[in-house]
Amino acid sequence: MVHGSLPHLATMWHIDLTIRDDTWPATRPAWRCAAPAAVRMAPMKAFSFITPAVAEYLVGHTTPPDQVLKELAEETLTATGDDSGMQISPEQGTFLTMITQICGARNAVEVGTFTGYSSICIARGLPEDGRLTCFDVSDEWTSIARKYWEKARVADRVELRLGPAAETLREFPLRPEIDLAFIDADKPGYPVYYEAVMSRLAPGGVILVDNTLRRGTVADYTDGDAAAMREFNDLVYGDPRVTSTLLPIADGLTFIRKH
C-alpha cells in the first residue's frame, strides 16, 4: 500500500494534479492530472465526481502502472492532444488486469482500442495461450498500440481488426465463446456493440463497459448529452439475461455477467 499526501503521490507516480472547473459546477471542484514533462498521464476521471480526499485515498491504494504503461500514456498525450482523454485511467487499467485474471478468461474482445492502454491491461491478465481480439477504426492511433503491444510483450496474443465495429463484429464467429469483453467506443453505438458481444458471450462471461457515469452527468436529467448513456444503462439494467452493477471506477464502469 502507498500512503502520503496528494502532492507526494503525484511526485511518486510522476503526476501533477491541478484543479479545473470546466467540467463540474463551481461548488464541486474537479481534479485533473496535468502532465509534467517527464511522464504525463491520462486524467484520473473519477476525480470529476468524488471528493479530492477520496480521490487521493483511491490513488494511494491502487497498484500504479509500470514503466511501459507510463510511457504509453506520455506518447498518447503527445500524439493525440485533447483526444488523450479517451485513454482509460491508470486505476482502471489495474482493475481490468485483475478482473481478467479472476475470471480466468482465455478469449477476450475489446471494442475501441485507441492507443492500446486497456488492451495491454487485458492481455496481461490472459494466460499465455489466451487471445484478445481488438476492434477499432483508426489505423493511426492503433499504430501506437501495436508498438506498445510489442514493448509489453503481449503482441503474440493480440489481434487487431480495423473497421466499424458494428460491421467487423458480425464477422466474429456466432458462437458463445467470448469469456470477457471491454466496450469503450462511440457511446451511441453501445447498444449495437453490447448485443453483438452478448450473442457471442459464453454463459458466465463478463462484459465491462466504460464511461457509464459520463462525469456524473447521467444523474442530471437536464443534460441532453448524457441521454444516450442513460438509455444504455437502462437497457442493461432491464436485460433479463444478465446480472450487472455500475461501479464508480474512473468515468463509471458497468460490470455485466451473463447467466
Side-chain angles (χ1 to χ4, degrees):
M1 293 185 180
V2 180
H3 303 274
S5 67
L6 190 57
H8 168 74
L9 293 170
T11 301
M12 182 183 64
W13 278 27
H14 305 288
I15 299 172
D16 266 347
L17 297 174
T18 59
I19 294 179
R20 55 176 301 191
D21 57 11
D22 58 332
T23 59
W24 201 256
T27 56
R28 294 281 306 275
W31 289 83
R32 180 181 177 90
C33 297
V39 178
R40 295 182 290 178
M41 301 294 291
M44 306 299 271
K45 300 175 184 178
F47 290 6
S48 295
F49 52 84
I50 62 176
T51 65
V54 174
E56 177 182 351
Y57 192 85
L58 183 156
V59 170
H61 291 77
T62 299
T63 301
D66 67 1
Q67 190 59 34
V68 171
L69 290 175
K70 289 178 181 178
E71 290 175 4
L72 172 54
E74 162 74 13
E75 183 163 341
T76 297
L77 190 56
T78 300
T80 68
D82 291 342
D83 288 329
S84 63
M86 293 192 293
Q87 180 177 269
I88 66 168
S89 296
E91 74 275 19
Q92 190 176 6
T94 300
F95 184 81
L96 285 177
T97 300
M98 292 175 63
I99 288 299
T100 305
Q101 294 168 330
I102 291 168
C103 293
R106 304 182 72 86
N107 187 18
V109 162
E110 177 181 69
V111 183
T113 297
F114 193 40
T115 59
Y117 195 112
S118 55
S119 56
I120 290 174
C121 296
I122 295 169
R124 284 176 165 175
L126 295 171
E128 289 187 3
D129 61 347
R131 196 73 185 163
L132 170 62
T133 306
C134 297
F135 297 88
D136 202 280
V137 295
S138 174
D139 181 63
E140 178 184 2
W141 285 341
T142 55
S143 66
I144 299 174
R146 288 191 290 267
K147 178 170 67 173
Y148 279 88
W149 292 338
E150 293 287 349
K151 287 189 174 185
R153 300 182 180 180
V154 297
D156 60 336
R157 67 193 72 170
V158 181
E159 176 188 354
L160 175 63
R161 299 192 182 188
L162 288 174
E167 300 173 9
T168 52
L169 274 168
R170 287 199 295 265
E171 301 169 1
F172 211 66
L174 190 57
R175 297 188 295 269
E177 296 179 345
I178 297 173
D179 301 312
L180 180 142
F182 179 52
I183 300 175
D184 184 17
D186 60 295
K187 311 317 170 191
Y190 272 20
V192 174
Y193 308 144
Y194 174 74
E195 192 56 46
V197 170
M198 183 63 67
S199 62
R200 295 162 172 81
L201 193 67
V206 167
I207 301 176
L208 300 165
V209 187
D210 196 22
N211 302 118
T212 48
L213 285 178
R214 297 295 286 168
R215 302 178 304 281
T217 59
V218 287
D220 179 4
Y221 286 83
T222 66
D223 190 324
D225 291 340
M229 190 56 68
R230 284 194 294 269
E231 291 175 6
F232 174 75
N233 290 339
D234 290 344
L235 170 68
V236 173
Y237 177 74
D239 190 344
R241 299 170 293 180
V242 306
T243 300
S244 66
T245 186
L246 204 169
L247 303 171
I249 296 175
D251 192 29
L253 184 69
T254 299
F255 191 128
I256 304 160
R257 182 183 182 273
K258 185 177 183 180
H259 298 321

